[in-house]
């Protein structure tokens, strides 16, 4: 009964099978192999973006930080939500990959920036000269760190702020599958059609062992990206093993099935929490539940063996009601959810 | 009638004279000259810190950023007030000199952090692992960017937070002279005796052409600092010309006289603003006045030729009352102040 | 018949099986799982280094560059052979991870530095002050980029130069298995007993999909290493999948069997080349053969479908004799080698 | 009798007078003042480059490293002579300002690269992919670190290599005045007309206290340069004091007079050395003399109080003949030169 994160579970059997299937024989390294080419092509198809440049890395932090480094100079400003993964959870990777850019954080309920809040924080060169640095990029996460979803119009509104300022829009899509599955739109709708310039298309939380695709919809944006990836140690010699993981998830639509599974379980947990006298801290729109529950429900859940985090951290221990975070994964067992629901109910 | 900043005026005649006085003959470069040695010694005396390591650079941004780089690794966290010069006005220099550290800003009235606000934002490794990076240093500015003064107990309280967390305390003393003159204490009281580990002792705003001293009270803290300074292009070959500027200001106490002049004029302006129906946005404790004034007073001042900034920037144009910032310098003419006072009064 | 590199082949079946075996269930992420703990323990055992700190990354460039960043400051000097992988093949990764260190290259036959050549290039602070930066670390590769092996006394002699200068010794062990198998010594003999402070223990070229272990023999050397790894995007959330690859290779001694296979095949190729009228450009001591062969032999090999690189690059096309590089892998088929030998013979 | 370097002497009286002359009154800071504008204009006139972007910094290392950072990405390659100041004497500043670029050094007699030697070292992406990084810029020094002069055709030949590879050509002109005075050409001839894209126009060694101009002949090359300068702490608030130093040297041609003085004295020393049985290690074409002298001449010179460096460093102590470096400055007294000549003669 592990609800700690969607990275606590392993890889989907199809991913493991795909690793074996591409294991035989010798191919040229560093991405010059047919499996990588096919995986890139499939991602372009899924995104309906035949011109897009697609590259694979093994971690979400690498993907995000490389995009930040691609767009923002060392004197750049990167705008993101105050709870954005790039701000809170990457140990300063965007700062390192840019050589010193500044993350400028924007508040906003439930993990989402409001366009006017964002616009009001944009650095105005005219007034302040070079003091604050140069605007570099705007970054949003979808699904957000609070499990909510930016709707297509909401993304487009942020993209408008970005593009009016001449900035690119980056989407951290560590849970892109969950967002697309939740919105019921196409991957293209949720990315370039809404104004996204660079997408980190997450595989790891979606059933891969460790694989993410970085997608630049305009090939001109990808200039020199391969150097950045190489210099940061993120080019694999046996690159096919990265690429094939994404291929296994994307070919045949497995990625959306797995995301839907996680989303549906989270929705069930949300209902159970409300039924048990708890409250939701944010709408449950993907695979994460932020809620408060009565101490007794918390005690019963722990008793039943459920693993999850207090929110925002251990300092919440002893609060009444108890703030918690539950995350469901691509393969969280239905039985575990049922057991947790039963425990919450008492 | 220039009240735009304390860097709009030139250098004190004693500084220019000192440049000439040390101009003759040939000496070894890069700081291995007797003038540099004497200037270092005088600063140690003024600070009553015989063990301190003293180094000269030409700009305040260089001084601050070098200290940040000295203490914080690229995965470091630097805690400072949200209006700190290192956050708002250095184009990301601390981030560059550290290779990617993150400035974590703390709110607080009138440019001052409260120790508990600061403490509440400190990263707790135990709870969050490496996600947020490692705590690097705490930085305060005195006099602050709002012209207020951290009192000695206030500094000590911040130092306690720093030292309990095992972090050094940096003081951005671009207006250290103004702070010491205002507090009426010794330079030692306001620095190491209150717990400051590294001081950027400003000369430029105090009457130098461009000279600042970086002081590490514990020599162990200065390890490799000379490499950092050299690699960033801040070691002058004709180093004596930097050092002698500080020498001219510090020998004989000129630095405090000049700072007192600026402070006194600011106090006079503050009274005049209140008398003219204006309000102070922050207590006037050194050489800056943040205030709102009636539109008519603003119009008369501009008519009279006074130059100053609206606050926080031009976007304040047209507000009623008008928010403004006035800064007095080491040599702001009494007549200019009298003229502005007269204009404000109407 | 692929002799282009030892990264053109896939992963050993035991590695794939191990991935499956650790796939079930949920474990805590980022290395806090039992498989990672076991893999770390096994590496400590193999190295007879119970105090060593062991960490896993996915690429050799990441491993090397992280160690460089751990030891050398941005004003540091890193000494290595002029053909070292960190100098020629990592796109400046050591420079990036250090924030600007300088690689100082040392010539030497067949990929090996001579201690006196190295010593003569070491920066002497006393004479040159800070101009050249500060000595940071010394790095050797074993097996070298030329397929030769530093013997244990040779390593010790380099280590003496390093330690006398107060510097750590890093070993790039992308082909550590080949070196140990060739030398017939223990892993401890070839690393810490010979004076190596940090070892990049390669798995990828030895039969892993993509896994390397970074080993610091003195735990004090590993301080803050986890921050560096995290900030560069090299901490996997599903870390067990990295660790288990090394575990599969090291438990039971598979790593040495596989390395011996590659080494033996290379020795056979070397003999065949000499028999075919070719010459060796370097002694064949591990799994790489640098040689010149008659144009006819080259033509027959190509005709037979052999894939390999001209040396040092395509510009060698048309030379007589033809300089080539052949690399054998953990699973290069005996039949391929036999076929190439037959073709060379004519 | 100081011949250690051309930075051991102070500033020309005209420079000091100019500092005083622009000291009065208040002007806007950070370069928005009329003196800075005039100095920029004068440099454009001297260089016959009306479109050029001119910026001032205080040290040569800052100037060079900022240009490197402007042109070369962190994965860039910077080509320069093996004795180039940026390679040997800046403590890794180019590496730091680029975030990790690699300096690729080219041998060559007397401080000068031969175009074919340079061309042979250029990285060929086609053959080696991304391994070596991306070509960034080519840098030459004139006058060179050996006191020799690249002739105009020699510069043009290097520029051809650069431009054919799509790279800019940087000239480190710490002793640009000496080079122009020696060549008897115009400043334009020696820079943009010969193919130089960015010039670091040195003032410090030419009689300034500490001032250098960075000149981009194509304004498009200067994009964002002000951010880089600001972020590295090299924008002075009282910027006029930097600019006016260059103004004092350039207006009226003082810069060439001073350089000629230094050059002439060096020529005299060279003759004296030959007459005294010494040898020149390089042709004496500007203000530096690299030579070997008989031990007795060395002893007499030291006895007479002459200060100069053994070459390349103290390790030359005791050699016969004695390798030395003599540097003359803008104001080296004729009497000192006469005394040294007398001593050499014996």
């Amino acid at each position: 009964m592990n609800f700690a994160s969607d990275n606590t579970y392993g890889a989907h059997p199809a991913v493991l099978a795909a690793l074996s299937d591409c294991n035989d024989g010798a191919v040229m390294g560093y991405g010059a192999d047919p499996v990588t080419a096919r995986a890139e092509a499939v991602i372009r198809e899924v995104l309906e973006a035949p011109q897009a440049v697609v590259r694979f890395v093994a971690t979400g932090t690498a993907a995000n930080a490389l995009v930040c480094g691609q767009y923002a100079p060392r004197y750049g400003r990167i705008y993101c939500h105050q709870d954005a993964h790039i701000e809170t959870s990457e140990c300063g990777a965007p700062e390192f990959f840019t050589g010193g850019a500044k993350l400028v954080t924007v508040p906003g309920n439930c993990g989402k920036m409001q366009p006017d809040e964002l616009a009001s924080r944009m650095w105005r060169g005219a007034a302040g000269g070079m003091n604050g640095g140069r605007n570099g990029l705007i970054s949003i996460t979808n699904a957000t760190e609070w499990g909510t979803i930016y709707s297509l119009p909401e993304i487009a509104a942020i993209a408008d702020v970005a593009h009016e300022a001449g900035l690119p829009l980056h989407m951290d899509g560590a849970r892109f599958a969950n967002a697309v599955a939740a919105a019921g739109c196409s991957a293209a709708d949720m990315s370039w059609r809404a104004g996204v310039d660079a997408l980190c298309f997450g595989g790891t939380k979606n059933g891969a062992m460790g694989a993410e695709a970085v997608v630049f919809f305009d090939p001109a944006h990808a200039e020199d990206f391969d150097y950045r990836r190489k210099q940061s140690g993120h080019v694999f010699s046996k690159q096919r093993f990265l690429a094939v993981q994404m291929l296994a998830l994307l070919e045949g639509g497995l990625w959306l099935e797995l995301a839907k599974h996680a989303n549906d379980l989270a929705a069930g947990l949300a209902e159970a929490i409300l039924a048990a006298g708890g409250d939701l801290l944010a709408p449950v729109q993907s695979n994460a539940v932020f809620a408060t529950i009565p101490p007794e429900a918390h005690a019963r859940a722990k008793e039943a063996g459920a693993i999850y985090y207090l929110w925002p951290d251990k300092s919440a221990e002893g609060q009444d009601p108890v703030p918690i975070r539950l995350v469901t994964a691509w393969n969280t067992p239905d039985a575990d959810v049922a057991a947790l629901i039963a425990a919450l109910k008492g």
Side-chain angles (χ1 to χ4, degrees), chain A:
Chain A
M1 291 180 61
N2 191 308
F3 299 93
S5 176
D6 37 7
N7 58 36
T8 59
Y9 283 95
H12 190 278
V15 169
L16 288 169
L19 291 171
S20 289
D21 290 349
C22 76
N23 190 46
D24 286 343
V27 297
M28 298 314 282
Y30 304 106
D33 67 272
V35 170
T36 298
R38 214 171 102 220
E40 292 181 1
V42 165
I43 287 179
R44 284 192 293 261
E45 276 167 40
V46 165
L47 289 166
E48 303 169 52
Q51 308 299 332
V53 171
V54 178
R55 291 294 182 269
F56 300 104
V57 294
T59 73
T61 293
N64 288 333
L66 279 164
V67 170
C68 288
Q70 181 73 4
Y71 283 127
R74 65 165 158 89
Y75 41 84
R77 296 167 72 87
I78 299 173
Y79 296 89
C80 64
H81 189 275
Q82 66 186 11
D83 296 328
H85 196 267
I86 59 172
E87 165 67 12
T88 67
S89 306
E90 300 187 352
C91 197
E95 289 90 341
F96 173 48
F97 279 68
T98 55
K102 184 185 286 294
L103 271 67
V104 181
T105 59
V106 181
N109 286 335
C110 302
K112 291 157 75 172
M113 294 192 284
Q114 297 304 314
D116 53 345
E117 277 281 357
L118 169 62
S120 74
R121 273 165 179 80
M122 301 280 288
W123 180 257
R124 309 295 173 195
M130 301 169 300
N131 282 356
R134 206 198 71 189
N135 292 323
L137 77 143
I138 292 174
S139 176
I140 58 175
T141 311
N142 215 19
T144 74
E145 288 78 6
W146 284 83
T148 53
I149 306 287
Y150 278 101
S151 70
L152 303 188
E154 285 172 337
I155 299 169
I158 298 277
D160 283 348
V161 173
H163 297 155
E164 273 162 32
L167 303 187
L169 178 61
H170 162 244
M171 181 178 279
D172 173 354
R175 296 183 183 95
F176 184 67
N178 302 90
V180 172
C185 65
S186 73
D189 288 340
M190 182 152 284
S191 55
W192 62 270
R193 276 206 199 103
V196 172
D197 295 284
L199 170 68
C200 293
F201 193 138
T204 310
K205 293 175 193 292
N206 189 222
M209 275 176 28
E212 314 276 314
V214 178
V215 182
F216 292 100
F217 293 103
D218 179 345
H221 289 208
E223 191 187 344
D224 277 5
F225 183 75
D226 285 338
Y227 289 105
R228 293 185 183 279
R229 194 166 52 117
K230 179 90 175 169
Q231 194 181 23
S232 53
H234 286 291
V235 172
F236 278 41
S237 56
K238 301 181 179 177
Q239 179 78 15
R240 53 179 154 173
F241 292 121
L242 268 187
V244 82
Q245 297 181 50
M246 295 301 288
L247 194 58
L249 292 173
L250 287 168
E251 263 188 343
L254 182 60
W255 66 296
L256 288 174
E257 285 173 41
L258 298 178
K260 188 171 182 314
H261 171 83
N263 289 356
D264 288 350
L265 294 189
L269 285 172
E271 281 177 36
I273 280 169
L274 293 172
D279 271 312
L280 299 179
L281 296 171
V284 175
Q285 296 173 336
S286 61
N287 67 321
V289 180
F290 292 81
T292 55
I293 57 175
E296 309 78 41
H298 176 56
R300 285 191 304 265
K302 287 289 162 186
E303 175 83 23
I307 298 172
Y308 52 79
Y309 285 111
L310 296 189
W311 198 251
D313 55 39
K314 285 182 201 172
S315 65
E317 192 69 58
Q319 290 185 20
D320 179 0
V322 185
I324 64 170
R325 185 188 81 163
L326 303 172
V327 186
T328 53
W330 63 274
N331 65 338
T332 301
D334 290 336
D336 283 9
V337 172
L340 176 55
I341 288 175
L344 290 170
K345 238 185 251 177

PDB file of all heavy atoms in Angstrom, chain A residues 42-59:
ATOM      1  N   VAL A  42       7.794   8.112 -33.503  1.00  0.00           N
ATOM      2  CA  VAL A  42       6.510   7.854 -32.848  1.00  0.00           C
ATOM      3  C   VAL A  42       6.097   9.044 -31.989  1.00  0.00           C
ATOM      4  O   VAL A  42       4.914   9.416 -31.944  1.00  0.00           O
ATOM      5  CB  VAL A  42       6.588   6.556 -32.015  1.00  0.00           C
ATOM      6  CG1 VAL A  42       5.427   6.450 -31.048  1.00  0.00           C
ATOM      7  CG2 VAL A  42       6.625   5.348 -32.955  1.00  0.00           C
ATOM      8  N   ILE A  43       7.045   9.644 -31.334  1.00  0.00           N
ATOM      9  CA  ILE A  43       6.691  10.813 -30.515  1.00  0.00           C
ATOM     10  C   ILE A  43       6.231  11.963 -31.396  1.00  0.00           C
ATOM     11  O   ILE A  43       5.266  12.663 -31.074  1.00  0.00           O
ATOM     12  CB  ILE A  43       7.886  11.201 -29.618  1.00  0.00           C
ATOM     13  CG1 ILE A  43       8.014  10.147 -28.508  1.00  0.00           C
ATOM     14  CG2 ILE A  43       7.700  12.594 -29.026  1.00  0.00           C
ATOM     15  CD1 ILE A  43       9.145  10.359 -27.554  1.00  0.00           C
ATOM     16  N   ARG A  44       6.911  12.143 -32.513  1.00  0.00           N
ATOM     17  CA  ARG A  44       6.443  13.188 -33.436  1.00  0.00           C
ATOM     18  C   ARG A  44       5.021  12.904 -33.924  1.00  0.00           C
ATOM     19  O   ARG A  44       4.213  13.815 -34.051  1.00  0.00           O
ATOM     20  CB  ARG A  44       7.415  13.299 -34.619  1.00  0.00           C
ATOM     21  CG  ARG A  44       8.700  14.035 -34.252  1.00  0.00           C
ATOM     22  CD  ARG A  44       9.529  14.401 -35.476  1.00  0.00           C
ATOM     23  NE  ARG A  44      10.048  13.219 -36.139  1.00  0.00           N
ATOM     24  CZ  ARG A  44      11.294  12.749 -35.986  1.00  0.00           C
ATOM     25  NH1 ARG A  44      12.148  13.381 -35.190  1.00  0.00           N
ATOM     26  NH2 ARG A  44      11.689  11.680 -36.621  1.00  0.00           N
ATOM     27  N   GLU A  45       4.735  11.618 -34.152  1.00  0.00           N
ATOM     28  CA  GLU A  45       3.373  11.268 -34.581  1.00  0.00           C
ATOM     29  C   GLU A  45       2.352  11.531 -33.483  1.00  0.00           C
ATOM     30  O   GLU A  45       1.290  12.098 -33.729  1.00  0.00           O
ATOM     31  CB  GLU A  45       3.316   9.783 -34.946  1.00  0.00           C
ATOM     32  CG  GLU A  45       3.768   9.477 -36.357  1.00  0.00           C
ATOM     33  CD  GLU A  45       3.972   7.980 -36.527  1.00  0.00           C
ATOM     34  OE1 GLU A  45       3.150   7.196 -35.990  1.00  0.00           O
ATOM     35  OE2 GLU A  45       4.976   7.590 -37.170  1.00  0.00           O
ATOM     36  N   VAL A  46       2.673  11.071 -32.300  1.00  0.00           N
ATOM     37  CA  VAL A  46       1.732  11.255 -31.189  1.00  0.00           C
ATOM     38  C   VAL A  46       1.457  12.739 -30.978  1.00  0.00           C
ATOM     39  O   VAL A  46       0.335  13.150 -30.662  1.00  0.00           O
ATOM     40  CB  VAL A  46       2.301  10.612 -29.902  1.00  0.00           C
ATOM     41  CG1 VAL A  46       1.549  11.089 -28.664  1.00  0.00           C
ATOM     42  CG2 VAL A  46       2.237   9.095 -30.017  1.00  0.00           C
ATOM     43  N   LEU A  47       2.473  13.540 -31.198  1.00  0.00           N
ATOM     44  CA  LEU A  47       2.321  14.983 -30.987  1.00  0.00           C
ATOM     45  C   LEU A  47       1.877  15.704 -32.262  1.00  0.00           C
ATOM     46  O   LEU A  47       1.701  16.929 -32.232  1.00  0.00           O
ATOM     47  CB  LEU A  47       3.644  15.578 -30.493  1.00  0.00           C
ATOM     48  CG  LEU A  47       4.038  15.211 -29.060  1.00  0.00           C
ATOM     49  CD1 LEU A  47       5.492  15.559 -28.797  1.00  0.00           C
ATOM     50  CD2 LEU A  47       3.143  15.935 -28.052  1.00  0.00           C
ATOM     51  N   GLU A  48       1.703  14.966 -33.339  1.00  0.00           N
ATOM     52  CA  GLU A  48       1.315  15.566 -34.630  1.00  0.00           C
ATOM     53  C   GLU A  48       2.253  16.720 -34.967  1.00  0.00           C
ATOM     54  O   GLU A  48       1.807  17.796 -35.349  1.00  0.00           O
ATOM     55  CB  GLU A  48      -0.129  16.065 -34.581  1.00  0.00           C
ATOM     56  CG  GLU A  48      -1.139  14.976 -34.218  1.00  0.00           C
ATOM     57  CD  GLU A  48      -2.518  15.563 -33.923  1.00  0.00           C
ATOM     58  OE1 GLU A  48      -3.026  16.331 -34.748  1.00  0.00           O
ATOM     59  OE2 GLU A  48      -3.052  15.251 -32.837  1.00  0.00           O
ATOM     60  N   ALA A  49       3.517  16.468 -34.775  1.00  0.00           N
ATOM     61  CA  ALA A  49       4.511  17.527 -34.957  1.00  0.00           C
ATOM     62  C   ALA A  49       5.666  16.997 -35.791  1.00  0.00           C
ATOM     63  O   ALA A  49       6.733  16.674 -35.257  1.00  0.00           O
ATOM     64  CB  ALA A  49       5.013  18.008 -33.595  1.00  0.00           C
ATOM     65  N   PRO A  50       5.468  16.907 -37.089  1.00  0.00           N
ATOM     66  CA  PRO A  50       6.476  16.243 -37.933  1.00  0.00           C
ATOM     67  C   PRO A  50       7.829  16.943 -37.947  1.00  0.00           C
ATOM     68  O   PRO A  50       8.835  16.325 -38.290  1.00  0.00           O
ATOM     69  CB  PRO A  50       5.832  16.251 -39.328  1.00  0.00           C
ATOM     70  CG  PRO A  50       4.694  17.203 -39.264  1.00  0.00           C
ATOM     71  CD  PRO A  50       4.272  17.297 -37.838  1.00  0.00           C
ATOM     72  N   GLN A  51       7.881  18.211 -37.587  1.00  0.00           N
ATOM     73  CA  GLN A  51       9.147  18.936 -37.610  1.00  0.00           C
ATOM     74  C   GLN A  51       9.879  18.891 -36.274  1.00  0.00           C
ATOM     75  O   GLN A  51      11.011  19.372 -36.163  1.00  0.00           O
ATOM     76  CB  GLN A  51       8.915  20.420 -37.961  1.00  0.00           C
ATOM     77  CG  GLN A  51       8.097  20.651 -39.206  1.00  0.00           C
ATOM     78  CD  GLN A  51       8.759  20.066 -40.442  1.00  0.00           C
ATOM     79  OE1 GLN A  51       9.976  19.958 -40.506  1.00  0.00           O
ATOM     80  NE2 GLN A  51       7.954  19.654 -41.411  1.00  0.00           N
ATOM     81  N   ALA A  52       9.215  18.387 -35.255  1.00  0.00           N
ATOM     82  CA  ALA A  52       9.777  18.517 -33.903  1.00  0.00           C
ATOM     83  C   ALA A  52      11.105  17.773 -33.772  1.00  0.00           C
ATOM     84  O   ALA A  52      11.327  16.741 -34.399  1.00  0.00           O
ATOM     85  CB  ALA A  52       8.783  17.978 -32.877  1.00  0.00           C
ATOM     86  N   VAL A  53      11.969  18.319 -32.962  1.00  0.00           N
ATOM     87  CA  VAL A  53      13.208  17.638 -32.582  1.00  0.00           C
ATOM     88  C   VAL A  53      12.951  16.935 -31.256  1.00  0.00           C
ATOM     89  O   VAL A  53      12.468  17.551 -30.301  1.00  0.00           O
ATOM     90  CB  VAL A  53      14.365  18.646 -32.447  1.00  0.00           C
ATOM     91  CG1 VAL A  53      15.592  17.975 -31.827  1.00  0.00           C
ATOM     92  CG2 VAL A  53      14.710  19.239 -33.808  1.00  0.00           C
ATOM     93  N   VAL A  54      13.280  15.632 -31.211  1.00  0.00           N
ATOM     94  CA  VAL A  54      13.010  14.804 -30.032  1.00  0.00           C
ATOM     95  C   VAL A  54      14.323  14.229 -29.522  1.00  0.00           C
ATOM     96  O   VAL A  54      15.114  13.702 -30.306  1.00  0.00           O
ATOM     97  CB  VAL A  54      12.057  13.650 -30.387  1.00  0.00           C
ATOM     98  CG1 VAL A  54      11.812  12.758 -29.174  1.00  0.00           C
ATOM     99  CG2 VAL A  54      10.740  14.191 -30.929  1.00  0.00           C
ATOM    100  N   ARG A  55      14.570  14.353 -28.242  1.00  0.00           N
ATOM    101  CA  ARG A  55      15.770  13.761 -27.657  1.00  0.00           C
ATOM    102  C   ARG A  55      15.397  13.063 -26.345  1.00  0.00           C
ATOM    103  O   ARG A  55      14.493  13.501 -25.651  1.00  0.00           O
ATOM    104  CB  ARG A  55      16.833  14.831 -27.373  1.00  0.00           C
ATOM    105  CG  ARG A  55      17.457  15.436 -28.617  1.00  0.00           C
ATOM    106  CD  ARG A  55      18.275  14.410 -29.412  1.00  0.00           C
ATOM    107  NE  ARG A  55      18.920  14.976 -30.575  1.00  0.00           N
ATOM    108  CZ  ARG A  55      18.374  15.017 -31.801  1.00  0.00           C
ATOM    109  NH1 ARG A  55      17.159  14.522 -32.010  1.00  0.00           N
ATOM    110  NH2 ARG A  55      19.042  15.546 -32.806  1.00  0.00           N
ATOM    111  N   PHE A  56      16.149  12.021 -26.006  1.00  0.00           N
ATOM    112  CA  PHE A  56      15.832  11.245 -24.815  1.00  0.00           C
ATOM    113  C   PHE A  56      16.866  11.434 -23.717  1.00  0.00           C
ATOM    114  O   PHE A  56      18.077  11.482 -23.992  1.00  0.00           O
ATOM    115  CB  PHE A  56      15.753   9.754 -25.162  1.00  0.00           C
ATOM    116  CG  PHE A  56      14.712   9.472 -26.187  1.00  0.00           C
ATOM    117  CD1 PHE A  56      15.059   9.215 -27.511  1.00  0.00           C
ATOM    118  CD2 PHE A  56      13.359   9.511 -25.852  1.00  0.00           C
ATOM    119  CE1 PHE A  56      14.085   8.981 -28.476  1.00  0.00           C
ATOM    120  CE2 PHE A  56      12.375   9.279 -26.819  1.00  0.00           C
ATOM    121  CZ  PHE A  56      12.747   9.019 -28.131  1.00  0.00           C
ATOM    122  N   VAL A  57      16.392  11.544 -22.504  1.00  0.00           N
ATOM    123  CA  VAL A  57      17.268  11.526 -21.330  1.00  0.00           C
ATOM    124  C   VAL A  57      16.622  10.626 -20.289  1.00  0.00           C
ATOM    125  O   VAL A  57      15.478  10.185 -20.470  1.00  0.00           O
ATOM    126  CB  VAL A  57      17.508  12.938 -20.749  1.00  0.00           C
ATOM    127  CG1 VAL A  57      18.295  13.809 -21.724  1.00  0.00           C
ATOM    128  CG2 VAL A  57      16.208  13.607 -20.367  1.00  0.00           C
ATOM    129  N   ALA A  58      17.330  10.388 -19.215  1.00  0.00           N
ATOM    130  CA  ALA A  58      16.862   9.376 -18.272  1.00  0.00           C
ATOM    131  C   ALA A  58      16.100   9.940 -17.081  1.00  0.00           C
ATOM    132  O   ALA A  58      15.391   9.205 -16.411  1.00  0.00           O
ATOM    133  CB  ALA A  58      18.055   8.554 -17.757  1.00  0.00           C
ATOM    134  N   THR A  59      16.235  11.227 -16.805  1.00  0.00           N
ATOM    135  CA  THR A  59      15.564  11.779 -15.628  1.00  0.00           C
ATOM    136  C   THR A  59      14.824  13.069 -15.981  1.00  0.00           C
ATOM    137  O   THR A  59      15.206  13.797 -16.904  1.00  0.00           O
ATOM    138  CB  THR A  59      16.553  12.094 -14.485  1.00  0.00           C
ATOM    139  OG1 THR A  59      17.327  13.258 -14.835  1.00  0.00           O
ATOM    140  CG2 THR A  59      17.480  10.933 -14.186  1.00  0.00           C
TER     141      THR A  59
END
